[in-house]
């Protein structure tokens, strides 16, 4: 399959071969520096400095990332050479897609649980899942991630999932900060996050062990490092486009640069004067 996106160049080889421990140390250093936990928009979110409308925009755009995770995992699973690896990646797909139509919390996956958040923020399921209000930058960044996993080596694709190494830090921060600072956020609204406290460490432990065992040359180690840098950059970019489009805090509407066709929250206008997207919102009695 030919990607419609630009090819991803191979990173230059490392000067020396790293031991597995040295490689892991390098990967963890990338997360400490580049993971989107450090982004100013995330810090504002945890501190209670965003408005409900800015959280709506974040959750709406993040839905596309969540919904495409099982898609990118399916493209990888189709290339995996052993039943053991395919079973591992099938579990990830089930985690996000669920096992059956989501009649109960026991069968719903992470994509459906994300709708608890968008619904709790006042957005309709139909509007969120239609993807009508996505920022163009969100779509391009997420599509680039799916293409990366589809088109690069199995080793690079697996390494790109290693941002999950850092999830056990960001998820508790996100949950506690949002529950503490925003009265419209509830435990039910945050249903997506609690299962990820166990799923992400399990998944990252497997991926890290696989990468340590298979990145055995300077070239493949550079590929692994480049894959994690790419993924951290992608997550950072998702917040950059939100920050630019909607601003932060009470001054957000004055700072906003919302592209035509994207979600316009209450109190905002788009870059060409578009008015708030009323059909995106639940009725007050819903």
């Amino acid at each position: 399959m030919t990607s419609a996106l630009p090819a991803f160049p191979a990173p230059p080889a490392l000067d020396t071969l790293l031991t597995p421990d040295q490689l892991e140390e390098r990967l963890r250093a990338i997360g400490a520096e580049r993971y989107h936990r450090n982004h100013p928009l995330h810090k504002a979110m945890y501190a209670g400095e965003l408005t409900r409308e800015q959280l709506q925009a974040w959750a709406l755009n993040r839905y596309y990332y969540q919904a495409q995770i099982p898609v990118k995992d399916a493209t990888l699973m189709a290339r995996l050479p052993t039943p053991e690896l395919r079973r591992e990646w099938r579990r990830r797909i089930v985690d996000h897609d669920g096992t059956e139509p989501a009649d109960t919390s026991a069968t719903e996956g992470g994509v459906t649980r994300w709708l608890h958040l968008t619904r709790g923020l006042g957005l309709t399921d139909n509007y969120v899942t239609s993807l009508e209000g996505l920022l163009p930058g969100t779509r391009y960044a997420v599509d680039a991630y799916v293409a990366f996993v589809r088109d690069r080596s199995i080793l690079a694709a697996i390494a790109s999932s290693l941002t999950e190494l850092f999830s056990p830090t960001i998820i508790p921060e996100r949950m506690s900060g949002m529950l503490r600072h925003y009265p419209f956020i509830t435990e039910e609204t945050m249903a997506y996050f609690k299962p990820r406290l166990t799923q992400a460490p399990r998944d990252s432990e497997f991926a890290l062990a696989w990468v340590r065992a298979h990145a055995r040359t300077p070239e493949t180690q550079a590929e692994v490092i480049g894959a994690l840098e790419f993924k951290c950059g992608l997550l950072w970019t998702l917040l950059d486009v939100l920050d630019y489009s909607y601003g932060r805090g009470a001054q957000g509407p004055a700072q906003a640069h919302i592209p035509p066709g994207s979600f316009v929250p209450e109190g905002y206008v788009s870059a060409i004067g578009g008015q708030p997207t009323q059909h995106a919102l639940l009725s007050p009695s819903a």
Side-chain angles (χ1 to χ4, degrees):
M1 181 183 297
T2 301
S3 173
L5 297 165
F8 300 100
L14 301 180
D15 294 333
T16 59
L17 180 66
L18 303 177
T19 68
D21 286 346
Q22 289 172 330
L23 177 61
E24 180 176 343
E25 182 179 358
R26 181 80 173 266
L27 295 172
R28 291 187 182 277
I30 291 169
E33 178 186 30
R34 303 191 185 199
Y35 193 50
H36 64 307
R37 172 181 180 236
N38 298 324
H39 195 285
L41 185 64
H42 253 306
K43 292 181 178 180
M45 183 189 301
Y46 303 152
E49 297 171 1
L50 300 187
T51 66
R52 181 187 181 103
E53 291 73 26
Q54 289 153 7
L55 290 173
Q56 286 176 335
W58 167 72
L60 170 69
N61 280 270
R62 179 79 182 196
Y63 172 81
Y64 186 54
Y65 174 78
Q66 302 300 150
Q68 292 300 105
I69 288 175
V71 175
K72 66 92 180 172
D73 282 335
T75 68
L76 175 57
M77 189 175 75
R79 297 194 289 136
L80 295 176
T82 67
E84 292 77 18
L85 272 176
R86 289 193 294 272
R87 280 195 294 269
E88 175 66 29
W89 248 258
R90 184 177 64 195
R91 179 170 61 184
R92 295 167 184 244
I93 294 171
V94 170
D95 285 345
H96 284 87
D97 276 348
T99 55
E100 297 177 23
D103 296 327
T104 69
S105 60
T107 60
E108 70 182 5
V111 177
T112 299
R113 283 194 295 271
W114 193 263
L115 294 174
H116 292 254
L117 175 59
T118 54
R119 199 179 305 128
L121 289 168
L123 300 175
T124 70
D125 289 359
N126 285 342
Y127 183 74
V128 174
T129 58
S130 74
L131 308 179
E132 175 187 337
L134 279 187
L135 293 169
T138 298
R139 188 183 297 275
Y140 295 148
V142 174
D143 289 352
Y145 182 34
V146 175
F148 183 95
V149 171
R150 183 191 65 212
D151 296 343
R152 291 293 292 267
S153 70
I154 289 173
L155 179 62
I158 291 176
S160 71
S161 74
L162 286 174
T163 48
E164 289 184 313
L165 285 170
F166 321 117
S167 294
T169 301
I170 198 173
I171 291 176
E173 288 178 345
R174 186 179 289 157
M175 292 179 68
S176 63
M178 293 180 75
L179 288 168
R180 181 168 60 252
H181 293 297
Y182 303 110
F184 45 85
I185 296 291
T186 67
E187 291 282 354
E188 169 61 17
T189 304
M190 302 295 283
Y192 168 83
F193 297 100
K194 191 171 183 180
R196 295 303 299 161
L197 289 170
T198 55
Q199 292 168 354
R202 176 201 69 199
D203 293 346
S204 63
E205 181 181 353
F206 179 92
L208 180 60
W210 203 90
V211 165
R212 283 172 56 108
H214 290 83
R216 299 172 177 168
T217 67
E219 291 78 13
T220 54
Q221 290 182 344
E223 189 175 21
V224 163
I225 291 167
L228 184 56
E229 290 176 342
F230 166 83
K231 175 67 175 303
C232 286
L234 178 145
L235 293 172
W236 197 278
T237 297
L238 292 177
L239 294 179
D240 276 348
V241 297
L242 282 162
D243 210 7
Y244 179 77
S245 298
Y246 297 99
R248 275 178 257 156
Q251 297 304 311
Q255 302 165 346
H257 306 85
I258 303 174
S262 295
F263 171 62
V264 181
E266 289 287 342
Y268 283 76
V269 294
S270 77
I272 61 169
Q275 296 302 302
T277 315
Q278 296 294 341
H279 66 282
L281 305 178
L282 292 167
S283 65
S285 59

